[in-house]
């Protein structure tokens, strides 16, 4: 590996070599997103925390269960069909950490499913998946 880097360094300028080495190291990293359970009618929030040395683009997606209608925003991600969701606000925190919450108000059973957060910058991209589970209001009511 060291010999390869030395050969590349001899062939390229220092700036080009530095950019080549950074591409493997500086792609965004997403903190694992835990599955979330929300009661029907409540607000559900999925958080995507991304560490990136450069400002990333963060986008949320939802797995499509109904293949009868495929919107123009649908695409294949790891062999599953996903649709693009409206992007929320992105907040920058300390230590090159960026957060992008997906807020779902008045959740219904239709909101339940697999979600993906994808973060990208000029050096690459990362993705994490999480499940949103919806519990029925009836199942949370105490029995007499």
């Amino acid at each position: 590996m060291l010999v390869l880097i030395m050969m590349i360094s001899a062939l390229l300028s220092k700036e080009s070599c530095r950019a080549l080495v950074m591409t493997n190291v500086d792609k965004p990293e997403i903190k694992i997103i835990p599955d979330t359970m929300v009661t029907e009618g409540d607000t559900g929030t999925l958080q995507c925390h991304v560490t990136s040395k450069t400002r990333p683009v963060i986008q949320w997606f939802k797995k499509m269960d109904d293949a009868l209608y495929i919107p123009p925003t649908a695409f294949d991600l790891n062999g599953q069909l996903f649709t693009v969701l409206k992007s929320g606000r992105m907040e920058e925190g300390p230590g090159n950490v960026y957060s992008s919450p997906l807020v779902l108000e008045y959740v219904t059973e239709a909101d339940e499913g697999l979600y993906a957060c994808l973060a990208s910058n000029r050096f690459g991209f990362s993705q994490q998946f999480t499940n949103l589970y919806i519990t029925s209001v009836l199942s949370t009511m105490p029995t007499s």
Side-chain angles (χ1 to χ4, degrees):
M1 175 86 168
L2 182 57
V3 173
L4 178 62
I5 291 173
M6 289 173 58
M7 289 172 57
I8 292 171
S9 180
L11 295 172
L12 302 172
S13 69
K14 288 183 180 180
E15 289 299 314
S16 298
C17 187
R18 213 174 290 134
L20 181 65
V21 173
M22 287 174 56
T23 56
N24 290 331
V25 178
D26 292 338
K27 75 177 192 172
E29 291 185 27
I30 302 175
K31 181 179 175 186
I32 293 176
I33 307 166
D35 289 346
T36 303
M37 188 173 293
V38 180
T39 302
E40 190 173 15
D42 287 350
T43 298
T45 302
L46 303 176
Q47 284 284 356
C48 187
H49 299 289
V50 178
T51 302
S52 178
K53 290 186 180 178
T54 61
R55 188 173 180 84
V57 174
I58 302 173
Q59 182 66 56
W60 280 97
F61 305 91
K62 184 176 189 283
K63 181 177 181 275
M64 294 180 58
D65 294 324
D66 185 2
L68 296 176
Y69 169 71
I70 300 176
T73 58
F75 71 100
D76 185 275
L77 182 63
N78 290 347
Q80 300 178 76
L81 198 58
F82 280 79
T83 187
V84 179
L85 300 175
K86 182 180 175 189
S87 293
R89 68 189 188 285
M90 182 171 64
E91 300 169 353
E92 184 175 356
N96 296 322
V97 176
Y98 299 83
S99 296
S100 179
L102 175 64
V103 179
L104 303 166
E105 296 181 350
Y106 308 107
V107 297
T108 67
E109 287 182 17
D111 293 310
E112 186 170 272
L114 182 65
Y115 289 79
C117 175
L118 189 133
S120 62
N121 65 17
R122 63 185 177 172
F123 301 110
F125 72 94
S126 295
Q127 62 195 22
Q128 282 288 338
F129 298 92
T130 187
N131 286 291
L132 176 65
Y133 299 103
I134 308 299
T135 58
S136 169
V137 175
L138 297 176
S139 66
T140 59
M141 294 179 71
T143 57
S144 40

